[in-house]
Amino acid sequence: MKRTFIKVCGLRTPVDAEKLIGVDVDAAGIIFVPGVKRTVKPQDGAEIAKQIPTGVKLVGVWMDPSKEEMFTVCNRVNVDFVQLHGSESPAFCQWVKERFQTKVVKVFHAGIRSPGQLEDYAPWIDVALIDSFSEGKRGGTGKVFDWRILQKEKERWETFGVSVWVAGGLRVENVNQLLEQYTPDGVDVSSGVELDGVKDRFKMVQFVERVRAYDRQFR
Ligand SMILES: O=C(O)c1ccccc1NCC(=O)[C@H](O)[C@H](O)COP(=O)(O)O
């Protein structure tokens, strides 16, 4: 059976990571973007990483980082995926891929032009993550974008063998509709599995169950 890749993003503490024990997710994300509400410092990232259950991949999230910022984290934390959430160029993606030898997730914001052409990004990225932006926020918005762009996005990236994940306001109530209509390769959720701004195990279980039920029936 083909599975939808599930990433839960925005772990802030080792306790958040422990909440993933027994939850069938594929990856967990830590935000190394300074100055946002889910920011994690490099040394704290290492502590969280230790508690992420075996088999769950670790995604480090950056937004227009300097190379030094990336070294500071990657020298301490073993990330499986580097997620670039800003306006990084194809050349920067290439540098990341070659330097860190990780999978690279490049975020494209619905409605924002990226600084490069798709064919220039494609050799250096494994995943195109389509996300929302709102009021100056480029991630963790909790807002859904107009999914009608997804059909074309999928077709464009598929020709290059790049997977497409979707983020932005996903939650247990709407993820099934997304899967039925557009069948992305992966889904990425943060606000939708929080209660009062904190990751909630019950919400994560509900979300994951909904996705896996879809996988069992249709994948
Ligand atoms: O989550 C954040 O606070 C964040 C801040 C700055 C850059 C990226 C950020 N999150 C990246 C993610 O991968 C989130 O999962 C994604 O944006 C979806 O968030 P949500 O709409 O809250 O589910």
Side-chain angles (χ1 to χ4, degrees):
M1 181 187 75
K2 196 171 176 247
R3 281 161 58 98
T4 305
F5 193 98
I6 304 177
K7 170 179 164 244
V8 169
C9 200
L11 304 186
R12 295 161 83 176
T13 63
V15 172
D16 281 347
E18 285 166 8
K19 291 172 193 164
L20 291 174
I21 295 170
V23 185
D24 190 12
V25 298
D26 299 288
I30 299 179
I31 310 287
F32 295 111
V33 177
V36 295
K37 75 173 181 194
R38 299 185 182 90
T39 304
V40 168
K41 294 195 189 107
Q43 62 272 28
D44 297 337
E47 294 307 309
I48 297 171
K50 280 185 205 155
Q51 302 306 324
I52 292 178
T54 310
V56 177
K57 304 286 185 202
L58 174 56
V59 183
V61 179
W62 286 266
M63 198 162 75
D64 298 317
S66 65
K67 291 179 179 178
E68 289 67 29
E69 276 177 85
M70 295 214 55
F71 280 123
T72 306
V73 175
C74 294
N75 288 341
R76 293 167 193 231
V77 188
N78 259 337
V79 300
D80 301 292
F81 289 77
V82 168
Q83 179 172 321
L84 297 169
H85 215 96
S87 305
E88 297 85 3
S89 64
F92 193 80
C93 297
Q94 176 178 4
W95 177 78
V96 168
K97 187 84 184 159
E98 291 180 344
R99 181 63 190 78
F100 298 109
Q101 307 274 311
T102 62
K103 297 210 184 243
V104 176
V105 180
K106 177 70 189 88
V107 175
F108 298 94
H109 292 90
I112 298 187
R113 251 183 124 74
S114 60
Q117 301 295 320
L118 180 132
E119 54 270 29
D120 297 327
Y121 282 106
W124 314 113
I125 71 174
D126 300 277
V127 178
L129 171 58
I130 320 295
D131 197 359
S132 306
F133 74 99
S134 76
E135 297 135 26
K137 278 172 79 178
R138 287 192 148 203
T141 63
K143 300 261 166 45
V144 175
F145 62 87
D146 185 346
W147 291 340
R148 285 174 298 182
I149 65 166
L150 286 173
Q151 194 53 47
K152 205 159 169 209
E153 287 294 326
K154 275 186 60 179
E155 286 163 15
R156 278 152 37 99
W157 287 109
E158 256 166 29
T159 53
F160 292 99
V162 173
S163 301
V164 172
W165 297 353
V166 174
L170 298 183
R171 47 189 191 275
V172 68
E173 294 84 3
N174 64 9
V175 71
N176 201 51
Q177 187 192 346
L178 172 74
L179 294 168
E180 280 181 358
Q181 289 181 341
Y182 299 103
T183 324
D185 300 294
V187 290
D188 178 1
V189 62
S190 185
S191 315
V193 291
E194 288 178 347
L195 191 61
D196 298 329
V198 177
K199 289 286 172 293
D200 182 75
R201 189 171 191 280
F202 181 64
K203 286 190 163 213
M204 294 196 271
V205 169
Q206 279 188 317
F207 183 89
V208 170
E209 271 305 304
R210 188 62 55 91
V211 176
R212 295 297 174 230
Y214 171 86
D215 287 350
R216 281 193 295 275
Q217 204 176 348
F218 299 109
R219 285 275 196 186

